Amino acid sequence: MRDFDWNILSTLYKTKNITKAADLLYITQPTLTRRLQQIETELGAVLIIRTNKGVSFTPEGEYAARKADEIIKSINLIKTTISQSHGNLCGTLRLGAPNSFVHFVIPTLIEHFSSIYPNVKIDLHTDLSHELLKNLENQALDVSFIRGDCDTFLKKQLLSKDQIYIISKNPIILSSLPNLPQIAYIKENSIVKASKRWWQERFSTPPNIRFRVNTGEACIQLIKKNLGYGIFSDKRYYNCSDGLYSMPLEFLDGSKFCRNSWMVYDESSIQNPIISHFIQFVSDHFDKLCGESPT
């Protein structure tokens, strides 16, 4: 089998959809289908079954797909180790990041890391933190940034402790919040639960959620139109030039309402020079490059 065949099995197993897998692999559907047939012929077994909802994997297919990530990891390690021995670090880093990190942190980190290691390719996956953690534990990612609760057997490094803020077009008066429209966006369950605790400590009525959007960026745009306020896990969603107001939140016991940001990875994977260099780079430069900017 070709090296790329393992990418086919891994990607298809994650998407369970021929069209999505072909798009992610930058090949046509007919090409993907033909190659799957050739893989099945070489292995002497049926691996997938097409259904109206996509594809399902046979037991043999499940086994091959699970092994695919291990094989891809080994191939990348061999290539990376050999390239480093010639003084040229090259290969691919499979990096995961939540949406907020993609907006504020990832561009700066990648810019500086790539200036040092220009031959390292970065395959960036974005999702909610709990989904990224699953992918990391299943070896579908090499390193991931995780926000909020991080209960895992993997190695985790605390990068920052970020206070939660209310952001509004108008000056913020806490006692008025139950009567004002709130704009909510998709967050991790841990931050949703903590926000509920913070709210219930102060108010006997639920928040007046007028709008629900997918991202913090969309929430900010509605706030700028004075359509409501938002509760954010990162003050960097706005700056002074936006003409918005912010207020850091605390619980009634005086403790800050915060959310942790982590870098998470499999400690055994640091034998891969790309992974170890990236982890060291983030450890050395995160605060300087990505610390919360003043407003």
Side-chain angles (χ1 to χ4, degrees):
M1 287 175 59
R2 306 171 186 170
D3 291 355
F4 190 64
D5 291 342
W6 300 111
N7 286 303
I8 289 176
L9 291 176
S10 177
T11 303
L12 187 58
Y13 186 68
K14 293 179 179 69
T15 62
K16 301 296 194 298
N17 184 284
I18 294 286
T19 301
K20 290 181 180 179
D23 289 342
L24 290 171
L25 293 166
Y26 297 99
I27 59 177
T28 65
Q29 292 181 50
T31 298
L32 177 57
T33 300
R34 285 196 300 271
R35 193 57 209 161
L36 279 171
Q37 292 170 344
Q38 292 169 346
I39 293 171
E40 289 180 325
T41 298
E42 289 185 40
L43 295 179
V46 175
L47 303 181
I48 68 166
I49 300 172
R50 290 178 179 266
T51 69
N52 292 332
K53 296 181 179 180
V55 297
S56 61
F57 279 69
T58 64
E60 294 82 2
E62 291 265 356
Y63 174 77
R66 287 196 300 269
K67 287 295 182 181
D69 283 331
E70 297 178 21
I71 293 170
I72 292 168
K73 186 176 180 180
S74 296
I75 291 171
N76 288 337
L77 177 59
I78 293 169
K79 291 179 178 178
T80 300
T81 302
I82 292 175
S83 69
Q84 189 188 34
S85 69
H86 289 79
N88 179 28
L89 188 66
C90 64
T92 300
L93 174 70
R94 300 174 301 167
L95 181 63
N99 291 326
S100 58
F101 259 55
V102 173
H103 188 69
F104 303 116
V105 174
I106 293 300
T108 300
L109 279 182
I110 289 180
E111 176 190 11
H112 287 79
F113 182 77
S114 296
S115 68
I116 302 171
Y117 305 106
N119 295 317
V120 173
K121 299 177 182 179
I122 296 180
D123 187 358
L124 180 62
H125 299 257
T126 62
D127 210 326
L128 292 174
S129 289
H130 71 275
E131 291 295 337
L132 292 170
L133 190 57
K134 287 180 184 177
N135 288 331
L136 194 62
E137 292 176 342
N138 291 332
Q139 299 185 335
L141 296 173
D142 298 318
V143 181
S144 186
F145 298 105
I146 304 293
R147 307 198 78 178
D149 292 343
C150 190
D151 183 14
T152 180
F153 60 87
L154 298 173
K155 178 74 172 179
K156 60 182 182 180
Q157 178 179 333
L158 182 64
L159 298 175
S160 64
K161 199 174 186 69
D162 308 305
Q163 193 162 4
I164 307 300
Y165 286 80
I166 286 180
I167 298 178
S168 174
K169 180 72 173 178
N170 301 309
I172 299 162
I173 302 173
L174 283 180
S175 60
S176 301
L177 290 185
N179 299 318
L180 299 176
Q182 182 184 128
I183 305 163
Y185 68 96
I186 296 175
K187 302 182 180 77
E188 286 292 324
N189 285 335
S190 59
I191 197 66
V192 172
K193 291 178 181 178
S195 298
K196 185 176 181 180
R197 172 196 160 192
W198 178 88
W199 185 274
Q200 291 178 341
E201 284 186 350
R202 286 164 173 76
F203 309 113
S204 58
T205 58
N208 175 24
I209 299 178
R210 184 179 179 188
F211 301 99
R212 294 185 184 274
V213 295
N214 286 332
T215 66
E217 291 84 357
C219 184
I220 281 291
Q221 295 308 312
L222 294 183
I223 290 172
K224 288 180 179 179
K225 298 297 183 182
N226 201 24
L227 293 172
Y229 69 91
I231 297 177
F232 290 82
S233 57
D234 201 312
K235 193 177 182 181
R236 289 170 290 193
Y237 270 106
Y238 89 108
N239 55 55
C240 295
S241 62
D242 291 331
L244 302 178
Y245 295 86
S246 71
M247 176 183 289
L249 300 185
E250 295 182 350
F251 293 106
L252 286 184
D253 62 8
S255 61
K256 293 181 179 181
F257 182 5
C258 295
R259 181 169 73 162
N260 294 333
S261 293
W262 310 85
M263 176 170 61
V264 187
Y265 55 93
D266 185 340
E267 199 163 14
S268 67
S269 70
I270 60 175
Q271 61 182 307
N272 183 319
I274 288 180
I275 298 175
S276 62
H277 279 71
F278 182 78
I279 290 169
Q280 190 62 53
F281 172 82
V282 174
S283 300
D284 292 342
H285 300 290
F286 184 86
D287 286 343
K288 180 180 178 181
L289 296 175
C290 305
E292 188 173 306
S293 57
T295 57

